[in-house]
Structures are given as C-alpha cells and as structure tokens.
C-alpha cells in the first residue's frame, strides 16, 4: 500500500486527479532505462589495459627491427669502408637469418614454457649489446659473426609476442592485436631510415649502431619492470580479465592436458606445413625491403642517402597501414559471423595477390612510379601478415603450443631471409640490375597465395590424436 501511495503521489495531476498519462510515461521511462541497461550490459566497459600491453609489445618489435635494419641503411658506407663486394655483402646480410631461423624453434618452445616476460627481456638485452658491438666491426668475418649473434638474440621476439597476444586478447580481437605487434616491423624499419641516415651524415655509420643498440638495452630494462601476465598484473581490472578469458576456454586448459600433446607431433599436420610455406612466401618479398631496398633506390635512381632517408619511408608507412587494415578486416569478418577459417583465408590470399605487384617496379621509369608499386606491394604483404600471426593461436591444440607454432612458422619464413639476400646479391652483381630479383619476388608471392587458397586445410585447433598427415 505504501509503495502504491508513493507512486500515486508522483503521478502528474489533472484537476487534482492522477492521470493514466503519468503511468504510461513512467512505464516508458522504465522501459528506456532497461533498454539502456541492456545495451550497456551487451557492451560492457571492461577496460583497455590490454592495449597498453600491446603497445609495449609493439614497441619491442619496433626496436628489434630498428636494430636489424640499421645495417641496410648503412650498407653503402659499410661496403665502401670495409671494401665489400656485392656477393660478400649478400652473405653478410644473409648470415643473420642462419641463426635467426634456426633458433625460432627453441625460442618458440621456451616462450611457451618460461613465458614472454623472460624471453622478450633477455632477447632485447642480447640484441642490443650485439648491435653496439657491430659498430666495432673491422671486416667481413667480424661482420658475419656479429650478424650470427644478432640472429640468436632477436629470434624470440615474434614467438613470444604471439604468446602475449594469446594471453591478453580474446579470439575476436587477436587479428588486430597481431597486426599491431607485427607492424613493429615496418615501424622500426621505417624510423630506421631517417634516423640512421642522419646519424651517418653527422657522425659516421659506426655511431648508428651505438645509438640503436643503446635503445634496445633501455627497452629490455623497461620491459622487465612493466610486463606481467594477465593474472599477475596489478593494473588489470577484474572485469577486463574476465572479458579476456571469455573466448579462451579452448586454449586455457590445465597443465596435465598440455603434457599430452608431443611437440614433434605438430609437424604431422598439413596445416603446419602450409603455415610454413605461406609465411616463407610473404617474407621472401618483405625481406627485400629490409635488406636491399635502400641500395636498390639509391643506385637505380641515383639518390643521395639523405634524400633516400625521407622518400624511402613511403613504402614503410604504407606497410603500417596495411597491417592495421588486415587486422581490422579479419576481426570484422569474424565478428560478423564469417567462419574464422574463411576470414583468415580471405586476407591471406588477397594480401599475397596484392604483394605480387612488386614486379611492376621493373617497368617503372621514375622513382615515383617505382615507389607506388613498392608501397602497394608492402601494404599487401603486411595485410596478409596480420592473419599469419593469428594462426598459431587459432590452431594450437593447447595454449603452450602457441609459442611453438609461432616459432615453427617463423623459422620457415626466415629461411627466406637466408635465400633472398644472397640470391638478390648474386643476380644483381651479375646483371647490374634489380629487375630479375623483383620478378622472382612477385612470382613467389603468387605461389604463396595459391598455397593458402588450395593447400591449407580448414583453420581449426589441431587434434592431438590421429592428426591429418601432410599428404592428406
């Protein structure tokens, strides 16, 4: 009775009598409040701390590529100072990938066992120190040895970063997150161009290695103090933790089940081999931009190093946009109900078809048209790579295998880093032209598109029992 009286007291009056309009109006307000509450419940404000972690990971990959690409910008000066021929230079560039590819497998394994905090921190400290030492190189042998050590130091970066994304993001957000940390590649490579060009102009090529190596050491210290896994983080809200884990039930199984899947059994799956082949094709093209691209533009179009330092950023900027575009498109397709397998394949195949336009640079009479073709190619390459780095989490039978699968496909992809620099160096030395290497790169991109379209099976968690044979 009391509640009814209160309601009547609050109704609008007409000549002192409560009206039905008031009841209707109150009901409408209540319904609107319920609807707003439902909308809020459907889209809860869970927090954005996971994106701060993603920014920290992306910064680490950027520093990784800053150190890795310093030699590419400094290459003309290094060749002149140390008296290196084209073929010898190609060997020195390739040496990095001998150890980088080899150590992907143990790095990926360790990332899943001891966690990304230790792996990324130790990696940054190691490659930072080696980069500083590269400023003291005195000849081909010392350069090759230091490049081998640099490959070991940088090898954990991508498998461990994939592990971070699998722990900090639900499946519906992993493509954008993967694209973002993978964008550390073009960010670091692009920033490297003007930074190293200016350092070389002011103080010589050796100073460039001192500075970029010091940046990596500072990052290693910052990472160690700032990063924790979600459940150990002091700054992560409970609501955001619950949101992160809502779509991870399949991956987050207990330790006992993780021990039932032998690591070597991963190689029995056609999916794993297709991941390896496809990423090899993507990186075959991408490593042209990381190794020989500065020399190509400077020599083909007779540019000064300082001028290249500014216009050479254009393909790198395009590749950043491509990575984010690929991540957003893939995630949007998944959220709209497109099966994960189809969403990933659309981006992988489409991206590699676009990457093949690198061949058009051969026909470019001016530096402007060459940059247009190269920018579109690099954009498409990172568009595809955004989905590449979702695959380990998409197909891992258990969470501990995310790092292992990331290491396996990255090891295969970086075999392209062994082949590409030497092949380009030898062919360019013989023909005095980059035309044939660019055509080869375009053909490899087309083969990669065919692999993802016709060889890769449906993208789904690998089964620990009765796996699909490679030839199936």
């Amino acid at each position: 009775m009391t509640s009814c009286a209160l309601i009547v007291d609050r109704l609008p009056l007409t000549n002192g009598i409560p009206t039905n309009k008031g009841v209707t109006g109150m009901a409408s307000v209540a319904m609107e409040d319920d609807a707003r509450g439902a909308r809020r419940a459907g889209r809860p404000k869970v927090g954005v701390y996971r994106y701060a972690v993603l920014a920290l990971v992306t910064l680490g990959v950027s520093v990784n590529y800053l150190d890795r690409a310093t030699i590419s910008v400094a290459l003309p000066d290094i060749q002149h100072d140390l008296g290196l021929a084209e073929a010898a230079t190609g060997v020195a560039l390739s040496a990095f990938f001998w150890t980088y590819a080899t150590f992907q497998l143990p790095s990926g394994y360790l990332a899943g066992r001891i966690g990304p905090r230790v792996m990324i921190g130790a990696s940054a400290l190691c490659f930072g120190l080696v980069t500083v030492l590269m400023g003291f190189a005195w000849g081909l042998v010392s350069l090759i040895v230091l490049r081998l050590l640099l490959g070991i130091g940088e090898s954990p970066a991508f498998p461990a970063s994939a592990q971070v994304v699998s722990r900090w993001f639900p499946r519906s957000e992993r493509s954008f997150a993967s694209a973002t940390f993978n964008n550390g590649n073009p960010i670091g490579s692009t920033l490297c161009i003007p930074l190293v060009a200016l350092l070389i102009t002011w103080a010589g090529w050796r100073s460039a290695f001192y500075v970029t190596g010091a940046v990596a050491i500072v990052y290693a210290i910052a990472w160690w103090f700032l990063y924790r896994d979600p459940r150990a983080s002091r700054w992560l809200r409970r609501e955001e933790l619950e949101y992160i884990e809502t779509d991870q039930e399949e991956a987050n199984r207990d330790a006992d089940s993780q021990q039932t899947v032998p690591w070597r059994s991963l190689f029995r799956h056609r999916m794993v081999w297709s991941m390896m082949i496809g990423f090899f094709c993507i990186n075959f093209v991408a490593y042209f931009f990381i190794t020989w691209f500065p020399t190509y533009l400077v020599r083909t179009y007779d540019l000064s190093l300082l001028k290249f330092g500014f216009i050479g950023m254009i393909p790198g900027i395009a590749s950043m946009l491509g990575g984010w575009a690929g991540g957003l498109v893939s995630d949007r397709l998944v959220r709209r109900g497109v099966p994960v397998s189809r969403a990933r394949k659309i981006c992988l195949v489409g991206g590699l078809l676009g990457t093949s336009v690198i061949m058009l640079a051969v026909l470019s009479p001016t530096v402007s048209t060459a940059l247009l073709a190269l920018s579109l190619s690099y954009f498409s390459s990172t568009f595809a790579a955004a989905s590449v780095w979702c695959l380990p989490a998409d197909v891992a039978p258990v969470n501990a295998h995310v790092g292992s699968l990331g290491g396996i496909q990255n090891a295969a992809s970086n075999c392209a880093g062994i082949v590409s620099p030497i092949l380009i160096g030898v062919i360019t030395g013989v023909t005095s032209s980059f035309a044939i290497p660019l055509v080869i790169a375009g053909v490899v991109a087309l083969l990669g598109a065919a692999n993802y379209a016709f060889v890769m099976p449906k993208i789904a968690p690998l089964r620990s029992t009765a796996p699909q044979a490679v030839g199936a």
Side-chain angles (χ1 to χ4, degrees), residues 91-141:
V91 173
L93 291 172
S94 174
F96 166 86
F97 298 98
W98 303 347
T99 50
Y100 184 75
T102 302
F103 278 81
Q104 288 297 310
L105 301 182
S107 294
Y109 177 84
L110 289 174
R113 294 305 183 271
I114 65 177
R117 182 176 179 235
V118 174
M119 292 301 293
I120 292 179
S123 170
L125 180 62
C126 180
F127 71 71
L129 291 172
V130 173
T131 301
V132 171
L133 291 175
M134 288 187 69
F136 297 95
W138 63 87
L140 179 62
V141 174

Short mmCIF file of all heavy atoms in Angstrom, two decimals, residues 91-141:
data_model
loop_
_atom_site.label_atom_id
_atom_site.label_comp_id
_atom_site.label_asym_id
_atom_site.label_seq_id
_atom_site.Cartn_x
_atom_site.Cartn_y
_atom_site.Cartn_z
N VAL A 91 76.13 -12.28 -48.42
CA VAL A 91 76.41 -13.30 -47.41
C VAL A 91 76.30 -12.72 -46.01
O VAL A 91 75.73 -13.34 -45.09
CB VAL A 91 77.80 -13.92 -47.63
CG1 VAL A 91 78.17 -14.85 -46.48
CG2 VAL A 91 77.85 -14.68 -48.96
N ALA A 92 76.84 -11.51 -45.82
CA ALA A 92 76.78 -10.87 -44.50
C ALA A 92 75.34 -10.57 -44.10
O ALA A 92 74.95 -10.77 -42.94
CB ALA A 92 77.61 -9.58 -44.52
N LEU A 93 74.54 -10.11 -45.07
CA LEU A 93 73.13 -9.85 -44.77
C LEU A 93 72.39 -11.16 -44.46
O LEU A 93 71.55 -11.22 -43.56
CB LEU A 93 72.46 -9.16 -45.96
CG LEU A 93 72.89 -7.72 -46.25
CD1 LEU A 93 72.28 -7.24 -47.56
CD2 LEU A 93 72.50 -6.79 -45.11
N SER A 94 72.72 -12.19 -45.19
CA SER A 94 72.06 -13.49 -45.01
C SER A 94 72.45 -14.16 -43.70
O SER A 94 71.65 -14.91 -43.12
CB SER A 94 72.40 -14.41 -46.18
OG SER A 94 71.90 -15.70 -45.98
N ALA A 95 73.65 -13.91 -43.20
CA ALA A 95 74.16 -14.59 -42.01
C ALA A 95 73.22 -14.43 -40.82
O ALA A 95 73.05 -15.35 -40.01
CB ALA A 95 75.55 -14.07 -41.66
N PHE A 96 72.60 -13.27 -40.71
CA PHE A 96 71.65 -13.02 -39.63
C PHE A 96 70.57 -14.10 -39.60
O PHE A 96 70.19 -14.61 -38.54
CB PHE A 96 71.02 -11.64 -39.81
CG PHE A 96 69.81 -11.39 -38.96
CD1 PHE A 96 69.93 -10.92 -37.66
CD2 PHE A 96 68.53 -11.64 -39.45
CE1 PHE A 96 68.81 -10.70 -36.88
CE2 PHE A 96 67.41 -11.41 -38.69
CZ PHE A 96 67.54 -10.94 -37.40
N PHE A 97 70.08 -14.47 -40.77
CA PHE A 97 68.95 -15.38 -40.85
C PHE A 97 69.35 -16.83 -40.64
O PHE A 97 68.49 -17.67 -40.37
CB PHE A 97 68.24 -15.20 -42.20
CG PHE A 97 67.68 -13.82 -42.39
CD1 PHE A 97 68.37 -12.88 -43.12
CD2 PHE A 97 66.48 -13.46 -41.79
CE1 PHE A 97 67.87 -11.60 -43.29
CE2 PHE A 97 65.98 -12.19 -41.95
CZ PHE A 97 66.67 -11.25 -42.69
N TRP A 98 70.63 -17.16 -40.75
CA TRP A 98 71.06 -18.53 -40.49
C TRP A 98 70.72 -18.91 -39.05
O TRP A 98 70.17 -19.99 -38.81
CB TRP A 98 72.56 -18.68 -40.73
CG TRP A 98 73.02 -18.31 -42.10
CD1 TRP A 98 72.25 -18.10 -43.21
CD2 TRP A 98 74.38 -18.10 -42.51
NE1 TRP A 98 73.03 -17.76 -44.29
CE2 TRP A 98 74.34 -17.76 -43.89
CE3 TRP A 98 75.61 -18.16 -41.87
CZ2 TRP A 98 75.50 -17.47 -44.62
CZ3 TRP A 98 76.77 -17.89 -42.60
CH2 TRP A 98 76.70 -17.55 -43.96
N THR A 99 71.08 -18.05 -38.13
CA THR A 99 70.80 -18.33 -36.72
C THR A 99 69.38 -17.91 -36.33
O THR A 99 68.74 -18.56 -35.50
CB THR A 99 71.81 -17.62 -35.82
OG1 THR A 99 71.89 -16.24 -36.21
CG2 THR A 99 73.18 -18.25 -35.93
N TYR A 100 68.89 -16.84 -36.93
CA TYR A 100 67.54 -16.36 -36.59
C TYR A 100 66.50 -17.43 -36.90
O TYR A 100 65.62 -17.72 -36.08
CB TYR A 100 67.24 -15.09 -37.37
CG TYR A 100 65.91 -14.44 -37.03
CD1 TYR A 100 65.75 -13.73 -35.84
CD2 TYR A 100 64.82 -14.53 -37.90
CE1 TYR A 100 64.54 -13.14 -35.52
CE2 TYR A 100 63.62 -13.93 -37.59
CZ TYR A 100 63.48 -13.23 -36.41
OH TYR A 100 62.28 -12.64 -36.10
N ALA A 101 66.60 -18.05 -38.08
CA ALA A 101 65.66 -19.10 -38.44
C ALA A 101 65.86 -20.35 -37.59
O ALA A 101 64.90 -20.97 -37.13
CB ALA A 101 65.81 -19.44 -39.93
N THR A 102 67.12 -20.72 -37.38
CA THR A 102 67.43 -21.93 -36.62
C THR A 102 66.90 -21.85 -35.19
O THR A 102 66.36 -22.82 -34.65
CB THR A 102 68.94 -22.18 -36.59
OG1 THR A 102 69.42 -22.31 -37.93
CG2 THR A 102 69.27 -23.45 -35.81
N PHE A 103 67.03 -20.68 -34.57
CA PHE A 103 66.66 -20.53 -33.16
C PHE A 103 65.19 -20.20 -32.96
O PHE A 103 64.75 -20.02 -31.83
CB PHE A 103 67.55 -19.48 -32.50
CG PHE A 103 68.88 -20.02 -32.06
CD1 PHE A 103 69.92 -20.15 -32.96
CD2 PHE A 103 69.09 -20.41 -30.74
CE1 PHE A 103 71.15 -20.66 -32.57
CE2 PHE A 103 70.31 -20.92 -30.34
CZ PHE A 103 71.35 -21.05 -31.26
N GLN A 104 64.39 -20.10 -34.04
CA GLN A 104 62.96 -19.90 -33.88
C GLN A 104 62.32 -21.06 -33.14
O GLN A 104 61.44 -20.88 -32.30
CB GLN A 104 62.30 -19.73 -35.25
CG GLN A 104 62.58 -18.42 -35.94
CD GLN A 104 62.05 -17.24 -35.17
OE1 GLN A 104 60.89 -17.21 -34.76
NE2 GLN A 104 62.91 -16.28 -34.95
N LEU A 105 62.73 -22.28 -33.45
CA LEU A 105 62.11 -23.45 -32.83
C LEU A 105 62.36 -23.51 -31.33
O LEU A 105 61.41 -23.61 -30.55
CB LEU A 105 62.58 -24.72 -33.53
CG LEU A 105 62.30 -24.81 -35.03
CD1 LEU A 105 62.78 -26.14 -35.59
CD2 LEU A 105 60.82 -24.62 -35.31
N PRO A 106 63.63 -23.45 -30.86
CA PRO A 106 63.81 -23.44 -29.41
C PRO A 106 63.24 -22.19 -28.74
O PRO A 106 62.75 -22.26 -27.61
CB PRO A 106 65.34 -23.51 -29.24
CG PRO A 106 65.91 -23.11 -30.54
CD PRO A 106 64.92 -23.52 -31.58
N SER A 107 63.28 -21.05 -29.43
CA SER A 107 62.73 -19.82 -28.85
C SER A 107 61.22 -19.95 -28.66
O SER A 107 60.67 -19.54 -27.63
CB SER A 107 63.05 -18.62 -29.73
OG SER A 107 64.43 -18.36 -29.76
N GLY A 108 60.54 -20.49 -29.68
CA GLY A 108 59.10 -20.68 -29.56
C GLY A 108 58.75 -21.66 -28.46
O GLY A 108 57.79 -21.46 -27.71
N TYR A 109 59.53 -22.72 -28.36
CA TYR A 109 59.30 -23.72 -27.30
C TYR A 109 59.46 -23.08 -25.91
O TYR A 109 58.63 -23.26 -25.02
CB TYR A 109 60.27 -24.88 -27.48
CG TYR A 109 60.17 -25.94 -26.40
CD1 TYR A 109 59.22 -26.95 -26.50
CD2 TYR A 109 61.03 -25.92 -25.31
CE1 TYR A 109 59.12 -27.92 -25.51
CE2 TYR A 109 60.94 -26.89 -24.33
CZ TYR A 109 59.98 -27.88 -24.42
OH TYR A 109 59.90 -28.83 -23.44
N LEU A 110 60.54 -22.31 -25.76
CA LEU A 110 60.80 -21.69 -24.46
C LEU A 110 59.77 -20.61 -24.13
O LEU A 110 59.42 -20.43 -22.97
CB LEU A 110 62.21 -21.09 -24.45
CG LEU A 110 63.36 -22.10 -24.43
CD1 LEU A 110 64.69 -21.38 -24.58
CD2 LEU A 110 63.34 -22.91 -23.14
N ALA A 111 59.28 -19.90 -25.16
CA ALA A 111 58.27 -18.87 -24.92
C ALA A 111 57.02 -19.48 -24.31
O ALA A 111 56.36 -18.86 -23.46
CB ALA A 111 57.93 -18.16 -26.22
N GLY A 112 56.68 -20.70 -24.73
CA GLY A 112 55.52 -21.37 -24.17
C GLY A 112 55.75 -21.96 -22.79
O GLY A 112 54.80 -22.23 -22.06
N ARG A 113 57.03 -22.16 -22.43
CA ARG A 113 57.34 -22.79 -21.14
C ARG A 113 57.72 -21.79 -20.05
O ARG A 113 57.21 -21.86 -18.94
CB ARG A 113 58.49 -23.81 -21.33
CG ARG A 113 58.12 -25.02 -22.20
CD ARG A 113 56.89 -25.73 -21.65
NE ARG A 113 56.55 -26.94 -22.41
CZ ARG A 113 55.76 -26.96 -23.46
NH1 ARG A 113 55.26 -25.82 -23.93
NH2 ARG A 113 55.48 -28.10 -24.07
N ILE A 114 58.60 -20.84 -20.38
CA ILE A 114 59.04 -19.91 -19.33
C ILE A 114 58.39 -18.54 -19.45
O ILE A 114 58.57 -17.70 -18.58
CB ILE A 114 60.58 -19.76 -19.33
CG1 ILE A 114 61.06 -19.10 -20.63
CG2 ILE A 114 61.24 -21.10 -19.15
CD1 ILE A 114 62.56 -18.87 -20.64
N GLY A 115 57.62 -18.33 -20.52
CA GLY A 115 56.83 -17.13 -20.61
C GLY A 115 57.51 -15.98 -21.33
O GLY A 115 58.74 -15.90 -21.43
N PRO A 116 56.70 -15.03 -21.86
CA PRO A 116 57.24 -13.92 -22.65
C PRO A 116 58.00 -12.88 -21.85
O PRO A 116 58.81 -12.16 -22.41
CB PRO A 116 55.99 -13.32 -23.30
CG PRO A 116 54.87 -13.71 -22.41
CD PRO A 116 55.23 -15.05 -21.84
N ARG A 117 57.75 -12.78 -20.55
CA ARG A 117 58.47 -11.75 -19.78
C ARG A 117 59.97 -11.99 -19.82
O ARG A 117 60.76 -11.09 -20.11
CB ARG A 117 57.98 -11.75 -18.33
CG ARG A 117 58.65 -10.65 -17.49
CD ARG A 117 58.08 -10.60 -16.09
NE ARG A 117 58.74 -9.57 -15.32
CZ ARG A 117 59.34 -9.76 -14.15
NH1 ARG A 117 59.37 -10.98 -13.61
NH2 ARG A 117 59.91 -8.76 -13.49
N VAL A 118 60.38 -13.22 -19.56
CA VAL A 118 61.81 -13.55 -19.57
C VAL A 118 62.35 -13.53 -20.99
O VAL A 118 63.42 -12.97 -21.26
CB VAL A 118 62.05 -14.93 -18.92
CG1 VAL A 118 63.51 -15.34 -19.07
CG2 VAL A 118 61.65 -14.89 -17.45
N MET A 119 61.61 -14.12 -21.93
CA MET A 119 62.11 -14.27 -23.29
C MET A 119 62.31 -12.93 -24.00
O MET A 119 63.35 -12.69 -24.61
CB MET A 119 61.16 -15.15 -24.11
CG MET A 119 61.11 -16.60 -23.67
SD MET A 119 62.73 -17.42 -23.76
CE MET A 119 63.01 -17.45 -25.51
N ILE A 120 61.33 -12.06 -23.91
CA ILE A 120 61.44 -10.77 -24.59
C ILE A 120 62.49 -9.88 -23.93
O ILE A 120 63.27 -9.21 -24.61
CB ILE A 120 60.07 -10.07 -24.66
CG1 ILE A 120 59.14 -10.85 -25.58
CG2 ILE A 120 60.22 -8.63 -25.13
CD1 ILE A 120 57.74 -10.28 -25.70
N GLY A 121 62.53 -9.89 -22.59
CA GLY A 121 63.53 -9.08 -21.89
C GLY A 121 64.95 -9.52 -22.20
O GLY A 121 65.83 -8.69 -22.51
N ALA A 122 65.20 -10.83 -22.14
CA ALA A 122 66.54 -11.35 -22.43
C ALA A 122 66.91 -11.12 -23.89
O ALA A 122 68.06 -10.79 -24.22
CB ALA A 122 66.60 -12.84 -22.10
N SER A 123 65.93 -11.26 -24.77
CA SER A 123 66.18 -11.05 -26.20
C SER A 123 66.62 -9.61 -26.48
O SER A 123 67.62 -9.38 -27.16
CB SER A 123 64.91 -11.37 -27.00
OG SER A 123 65.03 -10.96 -28.33
N ALA A 124 65.88 -8.65 -25.95
CA ALA A 124 66.21 -7.24 -26.20
C ALA A 124 67.58 -6.87 -25.64
O ALA A 124 68.34 -6.13 -26.27
CB ALA A 124 65.13 -6.34 -25.62
N LEU A 125 67.89 -7.38 -24.47
CA LEU A 125 69.21 -7.10 -23.88
C LEU A 125 70.32 -7.67 -24.74
O LEU A 125 71.33 -7.00 -25.02
CB LEU A 125 69.28 -7.69 -22.47
CG LEU A 125 70.60 -7.48 -21.72
CD1 LEU A 125 70.86 -5.99 -21.51
CD2 LEU A 125 70.58 -8.23 -20.38
N CYS A 126 70.12 -8.89 -25.24
CA CYS A 126 71.13 -9.56 -26.06
C CYS A 126 71.36 -8.85 -27.38
O CYS A 126 72.49 -8.50 -27.73
CB CYS A 126 70.73 -11.01 -26.29
SG CYS A 126 71.91 -11.95 -27.30
N PHE A 127 70.27 -8.59 -28.13
CA PHE A 127 70.49 -7.99 -29.44
C PHE A 127 70.90 -6.52 -29.34
O PHE A 127 71.54 -5.98 -30.24
CB PHE A 127 69.30 -8.19 -30.39
CG PHE A 127 68.04 -7.44 -30.10
CD1 PHE A 127 67.95 -6.06 -30.30
CD2 PHE A 127 66.89 -8.10 -29.71
CE1 PHE A 127 66.76 -5.37 -30.09
CE2 PHE A 127 65.70 -7.43 -29.50
CZ PHE A 127 65.64 -6.06 -29.68
N GLY A 128 70.58 -5.87 -28.22
CA GLY A 128 71.06 -4.50 -28.01
C GLY A 128 72.57 -4.46 -27.85
O GLY A 128 73.25 -3.62 -28.46
N LEU A 129 73.10 -5.38 -27.05
CA LEU A 129 74.55 -5.44 -26.84
C LEU A 129 75.28 -5.80 -28.13
O LEU A 129 76.33 -5.21 -28.44
CB LEU A 129 74.87 -6.46 -25.74
CG LEU A 129 74.43 -6.09 -24.32
CD1 LEU A 129 74.63 -7.27 -23.37
CD2 LEU A 129 75.21 -4.87 -23.81
N VAL A 130 74.73 -6.75 -28.89
CA VAL A 130 75.37 -7.16 -30.14
C VAL A 130 75.36 -6.01 -31.15
O VAL A 130 76.35 -5.79 -31.88
CB VAL A 130 74.69 -8.40 -30.73
CG1 VAL A 130 75.24 -8.72 -32.12
CG2 VAL A 130 74.86 -9.60 -29.81
N THR A 131 74.27 -5.25 -31.19
CA THR A 131 74.20 -4.11 -32.12
C THR A 131 75.26 -3.08 -31.80
O THR A 131 75.90 -2.52 -32.71
CB THR A 131 72.80 -3.47 -32.07
OG1 THR A 131 71.82 -4.45 -32.43
CG2 THR A 131 72.70 -2.31 -33.04
N VAL A 132 75.47 -2.81 -30.52
CA VAL A 132 76.54 -1.89 -30.13
C VAL A 132 77.89 -2.40 -30.64
O VAL A 132 78.71 -1.64 -31.18
CB VAL A 132 76.57 -1.69 -28.61
CG1 VAL A 132 77.81 -0.91 -28.18
CG2 VAL A 132 75.31 -0.97 -28.13
N LEU A 133 78.13 -3.70 -30.49
CA LEU A 133 79.40 -4.28 -30.93
C LEU A 133 79.58 -4.21 -32.44
O LEU A 133 80.72 -4.15 -32.93
CB LEU A 133 79.49 -5.74 -30.47
CG LEU A 133 79.62 -5.97 -28.96
CD1 LEU A 133 79.58 -7.46 -28.65
CD2 LEU A 133 80.92 -5.36 -28.44
N MET A 134 78.48 -4.17 -33.19
CA MET A 134 78.61 -4.08 -34.64
C MET A 134 79.24 -2.76 -35.08
O MET A 134 79.80 -2.67 -36.17
CB MET A 134 77.24 -4.26 -35.30
CG MET A 134 76.73 -5.69 -35.24
SD MET A 134 75.22 -5.95 -36.19
CE MET A 134 75.84 -5.77 -37.85
N GLY A 135 79.19 -1.77 -34.23
CA GLY A 135 79.86 -0.52 -34.52
C GLY A 135 81.37 -0.65 -34.51
O GLY A 135 82.08 0.26 -34.97
N PHE A 136 81.88 -1.80 -34.00
CA PHE A 136 83.33 -2.03 -33.94
C PHE A 136 83.80 -3.02 -35.01
O PHE A 136 84.96 -3.45 -35.00
CB PHE A 136 83.73 -2.56 -32.56
CG PHE A 136 83.47 -1.59 -31.44
CD1 PHE A 136 82.29 -1.65 -30.70
CD2 PHE A 136 84.39 -0.61 -31.13
CE1 PHE A 136 82.04 -0.76 -29.66
CE2 PHE A 136 84.16 0.28 -30.09
CZ PHE A 136 82.97 0.21 -29.37
N ALA A 137 82.91 -3.42 -35.95
CA ALA A 137 83.27 -4.39 -36.98
C ALA A 137 84.42 -3.86 -37.83
O ALA A 137 84.46 -2.68 -38.18
CB ALA A 137 82.07 -4.70 -37.85
N TRP A 138 85.37 -4.74 -38.17
CA TRP A 138 86.56 -4.31 -38.92
C TRP A 138 86.70 -5.01 -40.27
O TRP A 138 87.61 -4.71 -41.04
CB TRP A 138 87.82 -4.55 -38.09
CG TRP A 138 88.05 -6.01 -37.78
CD1 TRP A 138 88.71 -6.92 -38.55
CD2 TRP A 138 87.60 -6.72 -36.63
NE1 TRP A 138 88.70 -8.17 -37.96
CE2 TRP A 138 88.02 -8.07 -36.76
CE3 TRP A 138 86.86 -6.37 -35.48
CZ2 TRP A 138 87.75 -9.04 -35.80
CZ3 TRP A 138 86.59 -7.35 -34.54
CH2 TRP A 138 87.03 -8.66 -34.70
N GLY A 139 85.82 -5.98 -40.56
CA GLY A 139 85.92 -6.69 -41.83
C GLY A 139 84.77 -7.65 -42.02
O GLY A 139 83.85 -7.72 -41.18
N LEU A 140 84.81 -8.41 -43.09
CA LEU A 140 83.72 -9.32 -43.42
C LEU A 140 83.50 -10.38 -42.36
O LEU A 140 82.36 -10.65 -41.97
CB LEU A 140 84.01 -9.99 -44.78
CG LEU A 140 82.95 -11.00 -45.25
CD1 LEU A 140 81.61 -10.31 -45.45
CD2 LEU A 140 83.41 -11.68 -46.55
N VAL A 141 84.56 -10.98 -41.85
CA VAL A 141 84.43 -12.06 -40.87
C VAL A 141 83.75 -11.56 -39.59
O VAL A 141 82.82 -12.18 -39.07
CB VAL A 141 85.80 -12.68 -40.56
CG1 VAL A 141 85.67 -13.70 -39.43
CG2 VAL A 141 86.38 -13.35 -41.80
#
